[in-house]
């Protein structure tokens, strides 16, 4: 799915729409350079999950936790070092905790990703516009197998 937004507020709304549909345990892997709008999108995710707390970028702390009916674990991997550091912050534990993991700079931890993530790529088109590509794991499976696969959810 590809969406163009023309303001930060529009990007937040797109994040909110995705956030409303997220189930516990899902990982949202965000990509896009500095200022692409990843944190803005995560603010929307939080709103969609019903989290009212203000979302701040976890650049220096790597992860911020926001409690809720479905908690949000917001990672910023910009400063992550190696796999050991990922282990040290408790990455595996977060995956088990029944929250939504939103991961900025997910391209820095590709070895830890399973392919089951929802991928969100943000690209800066101009000062105020962004292209947002959202890929769901099921759609990728379909593309990989030439579209002939049975939908596990609907049986069609
Ligand atoms: N359509 C848009 N969507 C999102 N942000 C936009 C848009 N247009 C302009 N902006 C601006 O771009 C910036 C996006 O900042 P944001 O912190 O969300 O980026 P980021 O991808 O998280 O960056 P970083 O890699 O530093 O964490 C903000 O200053 C915001 O106002
Ligand atoms: Mg950010």
């Amino acid at each position: 799915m590809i969406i163009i937004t023309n303001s930060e507020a529009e990007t937040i709304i797109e994040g909110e729409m995705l956030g409303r549909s997220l189930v516990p345990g899902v990982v949202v892997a965000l990509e896009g350079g500095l200022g692409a709008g990843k944190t803005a999108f995560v603010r929307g995710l939080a709103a969609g999950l019903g989290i009212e707390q203000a979302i701040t970028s976890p650049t220096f702390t790597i992860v911020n936790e926001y409690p809720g009916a479905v908690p949000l674990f917001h990672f910023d991997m910009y400063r992550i070092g190696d796999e050991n550091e990922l282990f040290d912050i408790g990455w595996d534990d977060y995956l088990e905790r029944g929250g939504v993991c939103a991961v900025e700079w997910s391209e820095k931890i590709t070895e830890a990703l399973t392919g089951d993530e929802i991928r969100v790529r943000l690209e800066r088109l101009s000062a105020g516009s962004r292209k947002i590509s959202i890929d769901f794991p099921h759609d990728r499976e379909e593309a990989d197998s030439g579209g002939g696969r049975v939908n596990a959810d609907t049986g069609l």
Side-chain angles (χ1 to χ4, degrees):
M1 184 185 1
I2 294 179
I3 307 145
I4 308 286
T5 64
N6 292 303
S7 67
E8 182 172 16
E10 282 182 26
T11 295
I12 293 172
I13 288 170
E14 295 302 330
E16 183 171 358
M17 289 203 280
L18 178 62
R20 283 199 217 116
S21 73
L22 295 178
V23 293
V26 80
V27 175
V28 180
L30 297 123
E31 283 182 31
L34 289 166
K38 300 178 294 296
T39 299
F41 192 88
V42 174
R43 290 203 170 101
L45 287 182
L49 290 168
I51 291 167
E52 286 171 10
Q53 216 179 317
I55 303 294
T56 56
S57 180
T59 303
F60 294 97
T61 50
I62 309 276
V63 57
N64 287 340
E65 301 188 29
Y66 299 93
V70 176
L72 174 68
F73 308 126
H74 179 196
F75 297 81
D76 186 331
M77 300 301 186
Y78 188 67
R79 284 166 201 284
I80 199 88
D82 54 12
E83 267 175 74
N84 289 334
E85 205 177 326
L86 196 59
F87 179 81
D88 289 345
I89 62 162
W91 171 250
D92 292 330
D93 301 327
Y94 280 107
L95 295 177
E96 308 270 302
R97 281 174 55 189
V100 164
C101 293
V103 187
E104 295 192 34
W105 291 99
S106 60
E107 56 267 55
K108 303 246 177 183
I109 60 149
T110 44
E111 72 285 350
L113 301 178
T114 64
D116 289 334
E117 299 79 20
I118 297 173
R119 290 190 202 148
V120 179
R121 168 187 289 278
L122 293 107
E123 281 171 65
R124 186 183 186 281
L125 299 179
S126 69
S129 24
R130 303 291 186 269
K131 177 179 167 187
I132 307 176
S133 314
I134 306 180
D135 287 302
F136 295 91
H138 174 71
D139 296 341
R140 289 199 296 272
E141 276 172 31
E142 245 179 15
D144 292 346
S145 62
R149 215 159 190 282
V150 173
N151 183 318
D153 304 322
T154 61
L156 296 172

